[in-house]
Amino acid sequence: MSIHLSRGGTLRRVVLSCDVAGCPIQLEPPAIEAWRSDTDARSWARDHAVGWTSDPIRQTDYCPEHARFSEAPAADDIPARPTATVRDRSGNPLNRDDYTGRLREQLVEGDRLTARTLTLTAAQAAVTARLLDELAGVYRGESLGALAQELSALLESRLRDRD
């Protein structure tokens, strides 16, 4: 919802704008409603915009095509958690839980093949373990954080066994 002022600053127009980035859809109530106060104009515009929804907490409005964005997620619905840098072939970020599953599969497959082993110096392994601990802290309570914690513990145990 926005209120546009004319060039002189005295006449105003109430325009209901979809708040989804890039959506050009706007709805303007009839000019006869211009007498309303800003609060009344907002309320009237929202009440008469067929198919439009609003999110009063975020103070946003959505056209009929994007109305689903104002719906609260179901209690058992976990919103997608996208990866920061990993993308699929189309360029979309992967869901972190799916990505964790792929990484675990990669570990299992690599353990089965064990044709080559990569050796890290003790300093490299210690730094890698610290980076994994940081990643585990950032994604605490998520599968990606748990995987990072497991790998950090594995590196730590191998460092202790080495000494």
Side-chain angles (χ1 to χ4, degrees):
M1 168 72 67
S2 59
I3 296 179
H4 302 281
L5 297 177
S6 69
R7 288 184 187 199
T10 54
L11 296 175
R12 65 171 181 51
R13 295 179 11 218
V14 174
V15 177
L16 195 61
S17 304
C18 183
D19 287 313
V20 171
C23 183
I25 298 177
Q26 293 185 333
L27 182 68
E28 185 173 356
I32 191 81
E33 301 302 328
W35 61 268
R36 296 178 181 273
S37 69
D38 291 352
T39 304
D40 285 345
R42 284 186 180 105
S43 178
W44 191 93
R46 286 184 177 129
D47 288 346
H48 290 84
V50 177
W52 284 66
T53 61
S54 64
D55 183 339
I57 294 170
R58 291 185 288 180
Q59 297 183 351
T60 52
D61 298 289
Y62 301 99
C63 68
E65 182 180 343
H66 298 112
R68 68 187 180 281
F69 290 111
S70 66
E71 298 170 3
D76 60 342
D77 187 23
I78 298 172
R81 298 180 287 219
T83 54
T85 58
V86 182
R87 302 283 188 259
D88 64 14
R89 289 188 177 145
S90 302
N92 300 313
L94 299 178
N95 181 302
R96 289 195 299 259
D97 293 329
D98 296 340
Y99 182 55
T100 302
R102 289 182 185 185
L103 291 174
R104 285 189 183 280
E105 288 172 9
Q106 199 174 356
L107 284 171
V108 169
E109 185 65 27
D111 284 346
R112 266 189 278 164
L113 297 177
T114 54
R116 282 181 50 194
T117 58
L118 178 65
T119 306
L120 296 175
T121 66
Q124 290 169 334
V127 167
T128 302
R130 295 297 70 75
L131 289 171
L132 288 167
D133 285 338
E134 182 65 21
L135 182 67
V138 170
Y139 296 114
R140 185 182 324 272
E142 292 186 30
S143 57
L144 189 59
L147 177 61
Q149 187 62 48
E150 291 169 25
L151 291 174
S152 173
L154 177 65
L155 282 172
E156 288 291 332
S157 70
R158 294 217 174 143
L159 279 172
R160 282 191 299 272
D161 292 345
R162 196 184 243 185
D163 291 340

